[in-house]
Amino acid sequence: SIVDATTGKYLQKEDIQVPAVTHNERGSIIKVIQRPNTNGYTTRNVQKNQQATHKVKAVTCRSVACRRVTSQITGPCDLGKGPVHVVAPTWEDQQPLNFNIPLEHILNPHVIIFFEILDF
């Protein structure tokens, strides 16, 4: 993950129409339209366990361009077996991680690149 250290959020793309990681980067906007509850039906607010005064009229969903640089996933690597683990993991037959982002945007001193290594 690539994070903007000043905001604590994922790094925003300079141009949301240009994919940063894969060609199919998309986001979803889900909108719930409510109307007053006039015919006796009630819905429950699960968090507060209170009766709601509105019910759902419609739910819409639309696909939009993703505004942030999405995370990348690599293939598995061998971290060793038993009590001995490799300090520097390596990947065989792994394609390089490519980001379609200007270098000066990533090398900004306020940008943090996180690597998460999982051992299953």
Side-chain angles (χ1 to χ4, degrees):
S1 299
I2 302 177
V3 176
D4 183 338
T6 58
T7 64
K9 297 182 179 181
Y10 290 107
L11 185 66
Q12 298 293 309
K13 294 194 282 187
E14 289 183 339
D15 183 357
I16 64 171
Q17 299 303 325
V18 177
V21 178
T22 64
H23 67 281
N24 58 353
E25 293 175 354
R26 301 295 293 170
S28 297
I29 294 180
I30 299 172
K31 185 176 182 181
V32 177
I33 302 168
Q34 295 182 329
R35 65 179 174 184
N37 191 359
T38 57
N39 59 1
Y41 292 103
T42 58
T43 56
R44 288 219 175 257
N45 183 335
V46 176
Q47 292 177 343
K48 297 180 182 177
N49 199 22
Q50 298 174 345
Q51 300 253 335
T53 58
H54 291 76
K55 69 178 188 174
V56 174
K57 180 179 179 181
V59 177
T60 61
C61 180
R62 65 184 172 104
S63 180
V64 296
C66 187
R67 299 185 190 289
R68 67 177 182 90
V69 178
T70 57
S71 300
Q72 284 199 22
I73 299 174
T74 67
C77 70
D78 184 14
L79 293 175
K81 296 189 188 265
V84 178
H85 288 290
V86 177
V87 176
T90 58
W91 287 260
E92 294 181 17
D93 301 326
Q94 173 65 42
Q95 297 294 322
L97 299 177
N98 293 317
F99 293 96
N100 187 22
I101 307 169
L103 195 55
E104 61 273 3
H105 195 56
I106 292 181
L107 296 180
N108 180 319
H110 300 289
V111 171
I112 301 172
I113 301 174
F114 288 102
F115 292 92
E116 181 179 15
I117 299 175
L118 304 175
D119 186 9
F120 294 101

